[in-house]
Structure formats: structure tokens, C-alpha cells
Amino acid sequence: MVTIGSRIATLCGVVVLVALLPWLSGQDPALALLRARSAEQNPSEEALQAIRQSLGLDQGPLALMWHWLQGIFRGDPGVSWVSGRPILDGMLSAASVSLTLMALALLAAFVIAICLTLPTIYHGLRGNAYRSSGTLAVAMTALPEFLLASILLLIGAVWLRWLPPFGWQGFSYTILPALSLAIPAGGYLGRLLSDALTQVFTEPWVATWSVAGISRFHITLAVMKRALTTVLPMIGLVMVSLTGGAIAVEKVFAIPGLGRATLGAAIAKDVPTLQLGILLILLFAFVVGISVNLLKALLLGRALHQGAMPMPKESDVTVSQSTRWLPLLCLAFLAAVMLFGLGRDPYNIAFMRLEPPSLALPFGADAMGRDLLARVAHGSLYTCLLAVTVSLLCLVIGFIIGQWPRLMAGPIEVANALPPVISGLLIAAVYGPGLFGATLAVVLVSWAPLAAHAAALTTEVKARPYIQMLPLIGVGVVRRNLCYVLPAVVKPLLRHAMLRVPGLALALASLGFLGLGAMPPSPEWGRILAEGMPYIERSYWVVLAPSLALIVLSVFAVSATNVFSHKRR
């Protein structure tokens, strides 16, 4: 009941916030609608008053929200403020398109994740709890959906002509968009599942089963089942977050999906359409959250309630010798870029447009003739420091909120369901565009996966026998959480936070690209990437440099965390 109440209260709060959006922005809703319908029409007082009366804006936000809620209960969410047509059928059709796309993407992501965990399973069955560097998985998470969508569109539809370039008319139209969503999601899930499998292989029962002669196939199934209990909340959040990632993919491939329709409504301030879009997204998030919780309870059985969860031995986890050199190589690359690029001018237009790389211009020039090496080097401090800072802040928030998983179930699912773009639009409507607003928008929604992971880890740690015995020897709640629970969950949670660094950098970049964050001509990596996207077909180097920098940053963050928290093999 606590969990259901949390979801209902959070849903109501978000709906109220969206309903009040035109008034929170301090702008006249009638004026915004007039400009959305006809930018050239004269905004006379008579025209504005006619809009207010026709839509009920003169009654105030509370009355308008009450009429909208009555319509929802009757199955009539109203008409679009911009087009004047009913919105229910169109949004339900868009939701069905998005659900189909997300289902295919999730299936492909699972296949990718399983393939990435094969080395961990192989070493674990041989008695070695081994954690790889995860370079391939991290590189997948560092590639943004809009870049992957453009590359796949260029290769699969333009160069090879194997698949259609855009539209939604059959199965062949879903392959490229689904892969664009599946590759980052598969890398993310693969890394988390590999980390969970490594810890499960250190639990005593695995060695007992091996000594008892149980087949490796059955051990593998049992280890996968045990690891899924930790990763299940993240799987649910990935399913929901695909809605936000689908916005860019739906835009690139011209797919009439829910994310694209909701974003368009937010930009046009079409409040009824925006409300229905967010309502459908949140309902999907709540259904997934309930299903994941039920499945986790079935997998764990009575061990969770009886305090019989096995305790892994983190000290038994090893990393290879080659893995220890990986963060040093990444750091050397980033240092070399800054060393040779900080002395160059990132704003000076001194070269030919889209000039290819050369000895004098190692990374080439962008579409305006600016030195890409200089722009990547000067943007490294901004991108790296801000992304890592936001990640650590989300880690702290996620751990604190994760201590109350039932009470905070609603806010966790809602924060994960809202993409940073929608959050950025809401923040920009209140505070205006800028770096602070973009950072706040990303923080408001990016703590949710870490909170879900922290809740899952904390629940399992508290169900271990030695934790159950602490109150008997006089250990209080505060001391238990700080001295016993926190050390047990901080390492996997920190690796998770570092895995999210590239995603946070790209979220900040996407807000800047939409005019909600860092403004031009800021040499920020995501902005450099977005500015080079229109020229990727004929000048690949305009996206190669920032993409490579994001991948190296991601690999460095995750591999350094692995090395510093484990012993040498």
C-alpha cells in the first residue's frame, strides 16, 4: 500500500505541475498559443481574449486542471490547443508505435548484454570470479542514440541500401531504429549484469554446488537467476528510459512515436497533449515497476524475508594485469589532447570549412573552420568535470533515497520515465535557459537509476544474517547504515555512477543543443558532436574527435574504479 500510494501521489504531483506549466513560466498562455498557431498573426488583445475564452484559460489554472481531470475519467482528454483536434486516438496510436519499437530494442539489448557477460561466466565456472575492464560495454554506452541512429541510417540505408531510411510501414522499418536504442541499452545492462555475476560467483553456495558435481549448465542458470535479482530494477528502468531515448531516434527516422509527440507538445506548449503524453509514459513506468517488483519477489523467494541472503566475498574478485594499464592509457590520451590543444584558439575561424585532418590540424576543422583539437581540448575541462560532478551528486542522492525503496518508488519511477529533454523544458519554463538550469534538469531525473540500484543492493544487504544480528548486540540504525550497509553497496554503486558519466555528458549536451543549456560558441563535447552531425556523411572527422573523447572518458572512469577497488590478478 505504501508503494501504490507513493506512485499515485507522484503521478498526481507531476500532472499538476504540467497543468501549471504555462502559468509557472510567467508568460501569457494565450500569447504562446497564438504564436504556435500563427507566428505572423498580430497578438492583439481581442485575439488573445478570444483564445482565453475558447480554451477556458480565463478561468485560471486550477479550474482548467479540474476540467481536464474530469475529461480523463470520462475517457476524453480533450483537444489539442494548437490543432484543435481530439488527441486521444493520435496519442494512443503513437504509444503503440513506441511500445513496438521499445520491445524490439529491449530484445536486441538482452542479446547484446548476454554476449557481453560470456567472459565473466566462463571465468566464473572455472573458479575465478573475474571482472573484465568492460571496454566494449562502456564504449557502447558512450555513443548517443542520435549519433548511432545517424550512423546506422548512413550505413544501412544510404550506402548499402539494405533497409528503408525513414517511416513506419513494416518490420524492415524497425531494424535500424531498434538497433540505435539497443546498442547503448545492451552495453549498459551488460556491464551491470557482468558486475552482478562477478559478485555472485564469490558466494559460497557456488563452490558448494561445484564440489557436489552439479553440471555447469545448471550452475549457470542458478547464477543468472541470482544476479537478475540485483539487476532487475535497472532492467525495468531501462525499459522505461527507452521512451526518452526514442525521442532522438524517432526524430531521425521520422517515426510517429509517443516520445516525439510529447516533445513536440512541450515545445509548442500544447498542454492537453503534453499532459496525456506524460500520463501515458508514467502509466507505463508504473506497470513496469510493479511487474519488476513482483518478479524479484518470486526469484528471491523467502530468503529476502528470512534474512538468509548469501554474502559475496568482494576480496575474491580479481582483475587482469592488462586491465590495470587501461586507465593510465586513457588518462594519457586525455592529457595529450589537453597538452597540445589548450594553447590553440577554439573560437578563431582560421581554416577552410570541414578541412580534413593533417599534421597541422590533427582533428581537422569544423563546419565554420575552427580547430577541432582546440575545441575538444578546451571543452574537456567543462565536460569531464561537470559530468563527473553530476554523477557523484546523483550517487549521493540515489543512495539516500534508495534507503526507502517503498516510500520513494513513485518518485524513482517518475524521475526515470521523464527524459532530460522534458525536464529541461520544465526547468527552462521556470528559470529560463542556462547552464544552471540544464544541470538541475539532468540531476532531477538522473538519480533514479542509482536510487533503484541502491535500493536493490540495500534490500539484499539488510537480508544477510550478520546484518539481522546487529540489533541484538546494540548497533543502532545510523551506525548500521554507515558502518555496514554503506561499505557493502558503495563499490558496485560507484561503478554504476561512473558508467553513467557519458550519458550525463550527452544529456547536458542535448539540452545545450536545444538552447536550454550551454550556449554557442561553447566548445563543449556534446555541442561539437551535435554541430557536426549534418556533415557526417562527407566529413566523418567532425564527429570522430568528440565521440572518441567521450568513449575514452567513459572507459577511464569505469576502469579506474575497477582497478582501485580490487586486487591484482
Side-chain angles (χ1 to χ4, degrees):
M1 295 302 297
V2 173
T3 304
I4 295 175
S6 173
R7 291 189 173 107
I8 294 176
T10 307
L11 175 62
C12 294
V14 172
V15 171
V16 170
L17 177 63
V18 174
L20 298 178
L21 175 60
W23 287 269
L24 291 175
S25 64
Q27 301 175 357
D28 186 358
L31 179 59
L33 289 175
L34 181 65
R35 290 176 176 174
R37 291 178 176 179
S38 178
E40 299 178 356
Q41 185 174 350
N42 183 24
S44 62
E45 185 59 31
E46 292 78 7
L48 296 177
Q49 187 62 29
I51 293 177
R52 296 189 188 102
Q53 293 179 355
S54 64
L55 299 177
L57 294 174
D58 54 346
Q59 301 177 14
L62 296 181
L64 189 65
M65 181 184 64
W66 175 247
H67 290 314
W68 181 80
L69 289 175
Q70 288 180 326
I72 287 293
F73 287 119
R74 296 194 304 265
D76 180 19
V79 299
S80 170
W81 282 6
V82 177
S83 66
R85 295 193 297 267
I87 61 177
L88 181 60
D89 292 340
M91 293 299 287
L92 290 179
S93 176
S96 65
V97 170
S98 293
L99 288 176
T100 302
L101 176 61
M102 289 189 298
L104 293 174
L106 189 64
L107 179 61
F110 281 146
V111 174
I112 294 173
I114 294 299
C115 293
L116 292 174
T117 58
L118 291 180
T120 302
I121 296 175
Y122 172 77
H123 286 282
L125 292 176
R126 295 171 63 89
N128 178 24
Y130 171 77
R131 179 174 287 118
S132 65
S133 62
T135 305
L136 181 58
V138 176
M140 290 181 175
T141 63
L143 297 176
E145 287 88 354
F146 66 86
L147 176 60
L148 278 174
S150 300
I151 294 176
L152 292 177
L153 175 65
L154 183 64
I155 296 175
V158 178
W159 290 349
L160 300 179
R161 298 183 180 180
W162 288 348
L163 297 167
F166 56 84
W168 190 261
Q169 301 177 12
F171 178 75
S172 61
Y173 290 81
T174 66
I175 297 177
L176 293 179
L179 285 177
S180 303
L181 292 173
I183 291 176
Y188 178 72
L189 289 177
R191 183 59 191 171
L192 292 179
L193 185 58
S194 178
D195 193 22
L197 286 171
T198 301
Q199 291 199 7
V200 172
F201 275 116
T202 66
E203 294 177 354
W205 66 269
V206 178
T208 302
W209 282 32
S210 299
V211 173
I214 297 178
S215 66
R216 291 186 174 184
F217 176 75
H218 288 90
I219 293 178
T220 301
L221 291 181
V223 169
M224 289 291 295
K225 176 182 175 181
R226 172 69 183 90
L228 278 177
T229 59
T230 303
V231 184
L232 262 179
M234 276 65 70
I235 294 177
L237 294 183
V238 166
M239 293 174 61
V240 177
S241 64
L242 287 177
T243 306
I247 293 178
V249 175
E250 290 172 357
K251 183 177 180 180
V252 171
F253 291 98
I255 297 175
L258 180 61
R260 185 184 179 193
T262 304
L263 178 61
I267 295 176
K269 291 185 173 58
D270 189 355
V271 174
T273 306
L274 176 61
Q275 285 176 317
L276 182 59
I278 292 181
L279 182 63
L280 292 174
I281 293 174
L282 295 184
L283 288 176
F284 174 68
F286 292 159
V287 171
V288 171
I290 294 173
S291 303
V292 165
N293 290 335
L294 292 176
L295 183 58
K296 181 179 179 180
L298 291 175
L299 289 175
L300 286 177
R302 292 175 294 178
L304 189 62
H305 304 286
Q306 295 180 351
M309 293 298 298
M311 180 179 175
K313 297 180 180 180
E314 188 73 18
S315 59
D316 290 344
V317 180
T318 61
V319 295
S320 65
Q321 180 68 25
S322 59
T323 302
R324 301 184 65 88
W325 290 100
L326 189 58
L328 297 178
L329 294 176
C330 295
L331 184 61
F333 174 82
L334 295 174
V337 169
M338 289 188 288
L339 177 64
F340 292 102
L342 288 178
R344 307 160 77 106
D345 190 350
Y347 306 106
N348 185 28
I349 303 176
F351 303 93
M352 295 179 58
R353 295 179 66 252
L354 303 176
E355 185 173 339
S358 62
L359 291 178
L361 205 62
F363 288 171
D366 64 5
M368 296 185 63
R370 296 172 297 191
D371 186 358
L372 281 175
L373 174 60
R375 293 185 63 77
V376 171
H378 283 265
S380 60
L381 298 177
Y382 171 89
T383 303
C384 297
L385 293 179
L386 187 59
V388 172
T389 301
V390 171
S391 179
L392 294 178
L393 181 60
C394 292
L395 171 63
V396 175
I397 297 174
F399 174 78
I400 295 175
I401 293 180
Q403 304 309 303
W404 297 277
R406 294 182 178 179
L407 182 63
M408 301 302 294
I412 290 174
E413 293 169 359
V414 168
N416 183 74
L418 292 177
V421 173
I422 300 295
S423 175
L425 290 170
L426 295 176
I427 296 299
V430 179
Y431 293 102
L435 181 60
F436 173 77
T439 304
L440 180 61
V442 173
V443 171
L444 284 177
V445 298
S446 298
W447 55 266
L450 292 169
H453 196 185
L457 292 172
T458 301
T459 302
E460 293 189 12
V461 169
K462 289 181 179 179
R464 294 173 182 172
Y466 76 97
I467 296 292
Q468 298 286 320
M469 296 178 60
L470 291 178
L472 301 179
I473 58 177
V475 176
V477 176
V478 176
R479 183 183 174 188
R480 180 196 65 181
N481 289 338
L482 292 179
C483 300
Y484 297 93
V485 176
L486 178 60
V489 304
V490 67
K491 289 182 179 180
L493 206 59
L494 180 60
R495 288 190 291 269
H496 186 182
M498 293 299 100
L499 185 62
R500 296 188 59 80
V501 167
L504 295 175
L506 292 172
L508 292 167
S510 63
L511 293 177
F513 179 68
L514 293 174
L516 305 175
M519 306 302 292
S522 173
E524 191 264 336
W525 287 356
R527 174 164 293 278
I528 299 172
L529 189 61
E531 291 173 349
M533 286 300 300
Y535 312 99
I536 185 174
E537 183 177 359
R538 55 174 175 164
S539 305
Y540 64 89
W541 53 87
V542 294
V543 299
L544 179 62
S547 300
L548 184 60
L550 282 169
I551 292 175
V552 172
L553 171 63
S554 308
V555 174
F556 168 73
V558 177
S559 60
T561 306
N562 286 340
V563 171
F564 294 148
S565 59
H566 297 98
K567 65 181 181 179
R568 182 175 301 184
R569 188 180 178 184

